[in-house]
């Protein structure tokens, strides 16, 4: 597949690129600063782009089978960036006719699992309070996706940081029941 990855210099973005390359995909990593991107590979193109301009992103997504996004705040002061930049990415996708977008969000943004115990609920409450602005940004990002015509998937890892970098092969994932992702297509 031909894939484009936004947020490729972040921890999750780098891991998405590494896993995509390791499984034989052709990858375009969109970055603001190529010097901060250490990943290399034969099927990798690193593209510097202004993430605030949908027109500048069009070459990065043209002819792609899917686009993946690890865009998000690196700290609480960056809250708002995920929704804002996802709107830009959606504009480029729509202009180029690319239909598939996968984004990384966070588990506390989704519904609370019915089988969570007291400690899990308490930890979720504390994390949600501390990261309130970041989670609000991610909720808005997900709302932007729901309003779009794009075929989208939201991945909500249970933790960020080093644990989230193991997005798939080692993780155990819980698939939410019906209605957990309103508007999902």
């Amino acid at each position: 597949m031909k894939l484009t990855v936004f947020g490729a210099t972040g921890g999750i973005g780098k891991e998405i690129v590494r896993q995509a390359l390791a499984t034989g995909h052709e990858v375009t990593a969109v970055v603001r600063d190529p010097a901060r991107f250490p990943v290399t590979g034969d099927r990798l193109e690193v593209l510097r782009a202004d993430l605030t301009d949908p027109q500048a992103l069009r070459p990065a997504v043209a002819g792609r089978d899917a686009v993946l996004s690890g865009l998000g705040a690196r700290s609480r002061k960056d809250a708002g960036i995920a929704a804002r930049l996802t709107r830009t990415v959606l504009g480029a996708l729509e202009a180029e006719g690319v239909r598939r977008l996968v984004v990384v969000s966070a588990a506390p943004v989704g519904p609370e699992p019915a089988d969570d115990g007291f400690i899990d609920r308490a930890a979720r409450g504390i994390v949600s309070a501390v990261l309130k602005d970041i989670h609000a940004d991610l909720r808005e990002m997900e709302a932007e996706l729901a309003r779009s015509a794009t075929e989208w998937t939201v991945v909500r890892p249970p933790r960020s940081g080093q644990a989230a970098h193991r997005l798939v092969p080692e993780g155990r994932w819980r698939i939410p029941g019906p209605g957990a992702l309103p508007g999902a297509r």
Side-chain angles (χ1 to χ4, degrees), residues 102-181:
V102 179
V103 301
V104 178
S105 185
V109 173
E112 188 172 303
D115 61 346
D116 267 0
F118 172 75
I119 292 173
D120 288 331
R121 285 192 313 272
R124 185 181 186 108
I126 292 167
V127 168
S128 293
V130 170
L131 300 177
K132 180 178 81 169
D133 294 339
I134 290 174
H135 290 168
D137 178 28
L138 293 172
R139 279 186 197 88
E140 179 57 27
M141 175 190 71
E142 292 185 20
E144 288 289 337
L145 295 171
R147 290 188 290 266
S148 76
T150 304
E151 295 173 15
W152 52 268
T153 300
V154 174
V155 178
R156 295 183 182 133
R159 289 186 267 173
S160 61
Q162 292 299 323
H165 298 179
R166 296 184 307 273
L167 286 177
V168 175
E170 295 119 12
R172 283 185 25 184
W173 295 91
R174 185 175 4 202
I175 306 300
L181 295 173

